[in-house]
Amino acid sequence: MKGRIISAHGRHYQVELEDGHLRQCYTRGKKTGICVGDFVRIQPQGEDEGSIEETLERQNLLYRSDEMRSKQFAANVDQLLIVVATEPAFSDDLTGRALTGAWSANINPIILLNKCDLASGLARAQESLEIYRELGVPIISCSIYEPEQLKQDLLPLLKDKTSLLLGQSGMGKSSILNVLIPDAKAHTQAHSVALGTGKHTTTSTRLYHLPSQTGCLIDSPGFQAFGLYHLTQTDIANGFPEFKEHIESCRFYNCTHLHEPGCGVLAALEEGKIGRKRHELYERILLESQAATRY
Ligand SMILES: Nc1nc2c(ncn2[C@@H]2O[C@H](COP(=O)(O)OP(=O)(O)O)[C@@H](O)[C@H]2O)c(=O)[nH]1
Ligand SMILES: [Mg+2]
Ligand SMILES: [Zn+2]
């Protein structure tokens, strides 16, 4: 039987079979590295259980950062939804890293600018997003206080796809998930305060189906940033699509685009064709991944 992993807790996985039936599955032996979104072949056991025999080929695999390491957490993602808000201010660095993670894994990113009902931060937020708009990233304005509008704008983009939600805490990720998938009952901050935990304690990733159409969303509570340490230098450069045409004119095939003579990227940077902030982000990510490899 074939199915898809919709949640993972240690070595226990919830697998949704092709007919929609759910089975609690586990792995035998040393098999590890299975994550939410994976398609698997299982051996059914009893009515509701099974063992995972095989992970089917992945379209891609995403990592979250964990200290100096990257830990895999979701597979077979078609699209990334990066949630930012008019307030509080969001991090340019994290937004850039999310885009790099998406592009290096061949995933299309979309930015959701949430809390557009709060007019005071709107202009500043739009201005910070301008560099991403120029890179061709779709930017959708929304507010959870306009739920019908939010669904009308977003649902067509989510159709038939597996989308991953990502955002810094406080941007409205859980609130948006609740609008799109009322059953998700994702913990909003208020809810976790009510539970007395004060902060997100659960970090379990879960795949939800959209109620009104095919397509699903993967949510990962407490998740802020992709892990990028495992990326090679080429992967990282692929995470900066505006470098591509300039890399073609680099003198050395293994150019790192940091200091080499005859580097097309550095030349484009000098000419203002590549943004200085973008190149600085590239350098930070590259140096971190090199440091993590040594570590
Ligand atoms: N004004 C306004 N507040 C929002 C909106 N979306 C979320 N919030 C509030 O922002 C806070 C953080 O939302 P939450 O969904 O928990 O954010 P998360 O940490 O990204 O999951 C909560 O107090 C929400 O009520 C919105 O569109 N407009
Ligand atoms: Mg949340
Ligand atoms: Zn170069």
Side-chain angles (χ1 to χ4, degrees), residues 42-67:
I42 68 155
Q43 180 70 48
Q45 262 144 32
E47 282 288 295
D48 301 308
E49 295 183 2
S51 68
I52 297 171
E53 302 295 315
E54 186 189 2
T55 309
L56 305 181
E57 198 187 335
R58 289 170 174 141
Q59 168 195 331
N60 52 38
L61 177 63
L62 292 169
Y63 294 73
R64 60 193 294 157
S65 61
D66 179 18
E67 302 295 316

Side-chain angles (χ1 to χ4, degrees), residues 122-197:
L122 186 59
R124 191 203 48 214
Q126 280 168 336
E127 198 184 301
S128 325
L129 294 177
E130 195 49 39
I131 59 169
Y132 308 120
R133 195 188 299 280
E134 283 167 13
L135 293 174
V137 181
I139 298 172
I140 296 176
S141 299
C142 65
S143 160
I144 60 152
Y145 296 112
E146 299 286 349
E148 292 311 314
Q149 187 68 43
L150 190 158
K151 285 193 267 187
Q152 192 181 319
D153 292 342
L154 263 185
L155 287 176
L157 301 171
L158 304 181
K159 194 163 176 4
D160 299 331
K161 296 198 171 84
T162 297
S163 304
L164 178 82
L165 271 170
L166 182 151
Q168 286 168 258
S169 106
M171 298 293 138
K173 197 161 73 88
S174 302
S175 307
I176 290 172
L177 184 68
N178 286 331
V179 169
L180 295 172
I181 303 176
D183 282 347
K185 292 198 181 65
H187 290 206
T188 60
Q189 262 170 359
H191 190 67
S192 34
V193 169
L195 287 173
T197 56

Side-chain angles (χ1 to χ4, degrees), residues 233 246-267 279 282:
Q233 190 249 318
H246 306 294
I247 288 174
E248 284 164 19
S249 52
C250 291
R251 186 181 305 160
F252 304 112
Y253 79 93
N254 57 353
C255 185
T256 64
H257 324 303
L258 292 183
H259 40 63
E260 290 85 348
C263 171
V265 171
L266 292 174
H279 190 265
Y282 164 79

Side-chain angles (χ1 to χ4, degrees), residues 1-3 5 7 11-17 21-29 31 34 40-54:
M1 289 184 176
K2 280 186 192 164
I5 307 280
S7 71
R11 294 165 71 86
H12 294 265
Y13 302 89
Q14 220 176 6
V15 175
E16 185 184 65
L17 300 177
H21 186 73
L22 293 183
R23 279 180 185 262
Q24 297 300 326
C25 296
Y26 56 91
T27 52
R28 283 197 296 223
K31 195 162 183 34
I34 300 170
V40 293
R41 199 169 53 76
I42 68 155
Q43 180 70 48
Q45 262 144 32
E47 282 288 295
D48 301 308
E49 295 183 2
S51 68
I52 297 171
E53 302 295 315
E54 186 189 2

